[in-house]
Structure formats: structure tokens, C-alpha cells
């Protein structure tokens, strides 16, 4: 694992987009693992800019998103599906049939099967070439919340009080934040050939300190990235301030 510290959010976003572009130039049919949240918004903006300047082509790219709330419709503005369409999919030439978003309805009869099928699709696509990650204030990646043990594959998860509180800024009240989500497991993430974790701002500094202090624990899920041979932690000075 390599930690790269940059000045600010803008530089983080530009460098992240440059790494994605490099990946696509090396392999134009790359499989990208994509993240949501406020952190990667700048990276998506940069990628859209590059696409508009005809510097990037997404027509042969396949994508798998990390996670999604359970109980929000795809059209709900806070669903990760809506986020991805708004910030990325609808702005570039990615083929709709190559977009994969995990999705679990509240009354799904067999959630375990939906999760297994998602993992199988990732496998059939040849695995993820580059996985983008943000990080939660409690060190979560995707929706892998701190826990004594963590599932390897995609699963249905109950969100922690900290995450509900942190994500309530996108909803009108904490009560509106869904209590459950579907997320890729840490195995699905760690099997990616390359991982790029982004973080910006002082609020992420404790999570960054606890994740990359030389110890691994499922109580700080991002700490597992220290075991990955090709992971880059690209963070700004504020996020790095407690390292
Ligand atoms: C959510 C997502 C994560 C994301 C995290 C941080 O909980 N499930 O994938 O990394 O929030 O979000 P933000 O970048 O908005 O701080």
C-alpha cells in the first residue's frame, strides 16, 4: 500500500481521475469498481471533462458499484443509483448494459441469492481492475461497518448509528436515512487488482490515522487495505493531518 498526500480536494480529484484515465489507457475494457459519496464527486467531474475533450472513451468499460441503500427507489435523489447517473453515467458514453449496481428491495425473498449473483457477475466480468473507495468517519469502506468479523462477499448490512448520523446530511432528518444497505464485502474489494482510496478534509483524519497505523482489524475496515499489494491511498493534507 502506498500513501500519497496532496494539497487539497481539487488536487486529489485531478490525480484520482488521472489514475482512472491511466487504467483505461492500459486496458480499454477495464472493469471499474465505483464508489459514491461527496468524496469522489470531484473525480467524476474531472473524468467527465476528459471525456468531453475526447481524451477518454468509456464505451468498452464495465462498472460495478460498491453499495446501495435498501428501501430507496432508484429514482430517489439519495439513492446511489441516482447519484451515479447524475454525476457520471449520464455524462459519458458508458453502455447501459455494462453498468452494474447492487440492488435489494425491502421485501426481497432471498437476499443471499441477490448478493451471490452480484459476486458471480463480478467474477464473470474477470474481476475488478480498479476499485475506487471513499472512507466513512468510522473507517468503513463501501458499507462494511466496523465489526468483530466481516463477510467476504456481497451482503445485506445494518448501518451503524455513526453512519446514519454522518449520512443524514443528505436527507432532511436522520430518521429518513435507510437502516440497511447492500454492500460488496471486504473480499470482493480486496480481490480487485488495484485499489484507490480517496479522503479529504479534517473530519476523515481520525479514520485515516486508525486505518493506516500498521495494524489491521475488522473494527476499522479500511485498515485491511494495508494488506493489498497494489493499493493507493490518495488523501489531502487535512485528511492526513493525524498520520
Ligand atoms: C457512505 C458510502 C461510502 C462512502 C462514505 C463516505 O457511507 N457507503 O462508500 O465512502 O459514505 O462518504 P463521503 O465521501 O460523503 O464522506
Amino acid at each position: 500500500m502506498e500513501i500519497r498526500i496532496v494539497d487539497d480536494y481539487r488536487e486529489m480529484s485531478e490525480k484520482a481521475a488521472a489514475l482512472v484515465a491511466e487504467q483505461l489507457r492500459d486496458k480499454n475494457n477495464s472493469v471499474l469498481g465505483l464508489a459514491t459519496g461527496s468524496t469522489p464527486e470531484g473525480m467524476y467531474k474531472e473524468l467527465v471533462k476528459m471525456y468531453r475533450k475526447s481524451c477518454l472513451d468509456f464505451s468498452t468499460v464495465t462498472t460495478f458499484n460498491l453499495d446501495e441503500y435498501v428501501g430507496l427507489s432508484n429514482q430517489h435523489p439519495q439513492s446511489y443509483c441516482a447519484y451515479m447517473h447524475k454525476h457520471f453515467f449520464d455524462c459519458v458514453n458508458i453502455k447501459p448494459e455494462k453498468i452494474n449496481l447492487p440492488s435489494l428491495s425491502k421485501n426481497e425473498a432471498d437476499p443471499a441469492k441477490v448478493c451471490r449473483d452480484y459476486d458471480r457477475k463480478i467474477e464473470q466480468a474477470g474481476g475488478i481492475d480498479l476499485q475506487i473507495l471513499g472512507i466513512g468517519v468510522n473507517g468503513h469502506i463501501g458499507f462494511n461497518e466496523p465489526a468483530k468479523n466481516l463477510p467476504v462477499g456481497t451482503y445485506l448490512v445494518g448501518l451503524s448509528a455513526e453512519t446514519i448520523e454522518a449520512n443524514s446530511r443528505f436527507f432532511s432528518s436522520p430518521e429518513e436515512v435507510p437502516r440497511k444497505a447492500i454492500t460488496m464485502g471486504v473480499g470482493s474489494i480486496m480481490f480487485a487488482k488495484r485499489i484507490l482510496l480517496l479522503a479529504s478534509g479534517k473530519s476523515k483524519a481520525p479514520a485515516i490515522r486508525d486505518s493506516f497505523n500498521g495494524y489491521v482489524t475488522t473494527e476499522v475496515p479500511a485498515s485491511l487495505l494495508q494488506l493489498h499489494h497494489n493499493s493507493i491511498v490518495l488523501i489531502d493534507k487535512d485528511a492526513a493531518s493525524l498520520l
Side-chain angles (χ1 to χ4, degrees):
M1 191 197 71
E2 184 195 337
I3 298 185
R4 295 187 192 170
I5 301 170
V6 296
D7 277 344
D8 52 19
Y9 180 77
R10 190 196 166 109
E11 194 183 350
M12 180 201 76
S13 304
E14 287 168 359
K15 293 234 156 87
L19 283 165
V20 175
E22 179 188 294
Q23 172 67 40
L24 300 193
R25 283 181 198 123
D26 283 354
K27 185 181 175 201
N28 67 357
N29 61 347
S30 286
V31 178
L32 300 180
L34 297 179
T36 52
S38 48
T39 309
E41 269 182 37
M43 177 196 76
Y44 290 126
K45 256 193 200 140
E46 290 300 320
L47 289 173
V48 170
K49 264 197 227 161
M50 288 184 201
Y51 164 72
R52 291 197 175 134
K53 284 189 199 151
S54 306
C55 305
L56 270 186
D57 174 19
F58 293 94
S59 62
T60 48
V61 168
T62 299
T63 64
F64 286 90
N65 262 78
L66 264 178
D67 50 9
E68 178 60 284
Y69 290 116
V70 170
L72 293 188
S73 73
N74 286 350
Q75 290 73 36
H76 190 289
Q78 295 313 327
S79 76
Y80 290 165
C81 174
Y83 170 106
M84 287 308 302
H85 279 279
K86 175 173 171 205
H87 294 289
F88 190 50
F89 297 149
D90 294 352
C91 315
V92 296
N93 65 337
I94 188 154
K95 297 225 168 82
E97 64 274 21
K98 290 188 181 277
I99 294 172
N100 296 281
L101 293 147
S103 166
L104 203 53
S105 70
K106 254 188 182 162
N107 38 25
E108 171 60 51
D110 192 353
K113 181 179 181 306
V114 174
C115 295
R116 270 198 315 274
D117 288 349
Y118 197 65
D119 288 333
R120 192 163 309 131
K121 260 189 152 179
I122 297 175
E123 248 179 73
Q124 284 165 352
I128 292 169
D129 291 303
L130 174 64
Q131 175 65 55
I132 309 295
L133 293 176
I135 184 170
V137 286
N138 59 4
H140 76 222
I141 46 177
F143 268 131
N144 289 280
E145 297 280 33
K148 279 214 174 90
N149 44 47
L150 286 170
V152 172
T154 299
Y155 64 107
L156 170 65
V157 64
L159 301 185
S160 70
E162 265 169 319
T163 297
I164 292 168
E165 172 60 29
N167 291 7
S168 65
R169 69 190 196 278
F170 298 115
F171 294 81
S172 24
S173 71
E175 291 67 50
E176 264 191 38
V177 183
R179 272 24 189 185
K180 289 185 175 171
I182 177 172
T183 183
M184 275 189 203
V186 284
S188 317
I189 294 169
M190 291 291 282
F191 295 147
K193 293 168 192 108
R194 194 176 207 196
I195 300 177
L196 173 60
L197 180 136
L198 307 175
S200 165
K202 283 232 181 312
S203 68
K204 297 293 170 69
I208 292 295
R209 174 198 60 205
D210 297 345
S211 298
F212 306 119
N213 61 6
Y215 292 84
V216 293
T217 168
T218 54
E219 296 291 352
V220 187
S223 69
L224 298 177
L225 298 189
Q226 293 172 107
L227 303 175
H228 196 281
H229 68 289
N230 194 3
S231 58
I232 299 175
V233 173
L234 178 59
I235 53 180
D236 68 10
K237 280 183 181 154
D238 284 345
S241 57
L242 297 176
L243 278 179

